[in-house]
Amino acid sequence: MKLEQLMEGVPFTLVQGSMETEVTDIIYDSRKAAPGLAFVCIVGTQRDSHEFAADCAAKGVSVLVIQHDIDLSAVPEATVVKVESSRYAMALMSCNLFGNPAKQMTMIGVTGTKGKTTTSYMIQAVTNALAGRTMGLSSSAGRYCGGPDVDTHLTTPESLDLQWLFAQARDHGLPYMTAEVSSQAYQVERVYGEHFAEYLIHFVRIARLVGLCGTQHLIIGHLLPCGIGRFLVTAVTRFEFHNVLVNLHTVLVVARSRIALGQEEG
């Protein structure tokens, strides 16, 4: 894939090189550096991977995606593009790399304070039973994409890994996918570019809902520019006693949706 195609929809500045550069894959781990790859330099909480840009270029990486300036004299052969947020850029680049798999399935996202995993599994079970088709699943308890179960250590994988999971589900012919999405995933921009037909926001205390305070406010703010078909919001004040009932109610609401069953909207 040419870099120009990979960067579609991503605001960027070409610092050096050519947009005709061929890219075979994206990496964000410098240890995986190899010829033909695009290395996305991410500013993390512990390390800044811009420090490894020169090492990656020396190993043949074709493209460097940077968030702040680096010493260009150390990477003379690499194409360099600069973006405002490398995490945001990687999310959209990953969608482009895998052909936007979320657009080719009916996607249901689940977030909230507690109960995300339980709700995700119940949605999968009900949809499998009512739709007669297998639903893909991405949650903290496991991932199913049509092939062998995939094990990852994050509730919501990094955007590149998440889009790979969605592509696996699409390629295995799964028409539906439910994904558990943590608030942290929104804060670090892992889910930009995804297109959800339904989105559940599950609050376990009214205080979290009134005023949309704290992290939940961030969730709403991050969801607005994304492709969301419809929000479903549930709230309970005594989670310990009503968790199962609220989750079951949520699942039935989604299951009744014509979108969740893959039918055309009127």
Side-chain angles (χ1 to χ4, degrees):
M1 175 181 287
K2 293 188 184 300
L3 179 58
E4 183 178 16
Q5 297 171 298
L6 192 65
M7 298 298 292
E8 184 178 349
V10 182
F12 69 93
T13 300
L14 178 63
V15 178
Q16 71 178 32
S18 170
M19 296 305 295
E20 294 296 307
T21 302
E22 289 287 342
V23 177
T24 58
D25 204 351
I26 301 169
I27 59 169
Y28 57 89
D29 184 342
S30 61
R31 295 169 296 182
K32 298 179 180 179
L37 306 183
F39 176 54
V40 181
C41 302
I42 294 176
V43 179
T45 56
Q46 303 296 323
R47 296 295 296 271
D48 182 348
S49 64
H50 289 74
E51 299 172 8
F52 308 112
D55 290 338
C56 289
K59 294 177 181 177
V61 162
S62 301
V63 176
L64 297 171
V65 180
I66 61 173
Q67 184 172 313
H68 61 71
D69 293 336
I70 61 173
D71 181 7
L72 296 177
S73 65
V75 293
E77 303 299 323
T79 293
V80 180
V81 295
K82 187 176 182 180
V83 297
E84 182 177 347
S85 167
S86 53
R87 288 187 180 275
Y88 173 82
M90 185 168 71
L92 296 183
M93 291 168 65
S94 299
C95 291
N96 294 333
L97 178 68
F98 293 108
N100 292 286
K103 290 183 178 180
Q104 301 168 51
M105 297 182 290
T106 297
M107 301 290 298
I108 298 176
V110 181
T111 195
T113 48
K114 290 184 180 179
K116 295 185 294 293
T117 302
T118 302
T119 303
S120 296
Y121 272 89
M122 296 180 90
I123 290 173
Q124 184 195 39
V126 172
T127 303
N128 287 351
L130 296 184
R133 301 286 298 278
T134 303
M135 177 179 240
L137 174 72
S138 176
S139 81
S140 57
R143 272 91 187 173
Y144 175 72
C145 300
D149 288 353
V150 180
D151 183 30
T152 63
H153 66 284
L154 298 172
T155 297
T156 307
E158 194 57 74
S159 58
L160 177 64
D161 306 317
L162 190 62
Q163 293 302 323
W164 179 84
L165 287 171
F166 292 162
Q168 291 296 303
R170 175 201 61 197
D171 295 345
H172 281 90
L174 302 187
Y176 317 114
M177 186 86 188
T178 184
E180 181 182 339
V181 187
S182 66
S183 58
Q184 177 69 11
Y186 291 103
Q187 291 176 300
V188 295
E189 303 176 303
R190 290 179 191 155
V191 291
Y192 272 97
E194 293 183 24
H195 293 260
F196 294 103
E198 300 279 356
Y199 205 92
L200 266 60
I201 304 176
H202 184 65
F203 298 89
V204 299
R205 281 173 176 70
I206 293 297
R208 290 293 185 96
L209 181 59
V210 176
L212 297 174
C213 62
T215 302
Q216 307 305 333
H217 187 197
L218 291 175
I219 290 176
I220 297 294
H222 280 76
L223 281 174
L224 291 178
C226 298
I228 307 297
R230 175 163 51 187
F231 290 99
L232 297 175
V233 180
T234 65
V236 294
T237 54
R238 300 187 65 180
F239 178 78
E240 298 82 4
F241 295 101
H242 299 292
N243 181 31
V244 173
L245 290 178
V246 170
N247 277 309
L248 181 58
H249 168 73
T250 300
V251 168
L252 291 176
V253 169
V254 175
R256 291 192 190 103
S257 166
R258 288 173 294 175
I259 294 178
L261 295 179
Q263 298 175 6
E264 296 291 333
E265 285 193 294

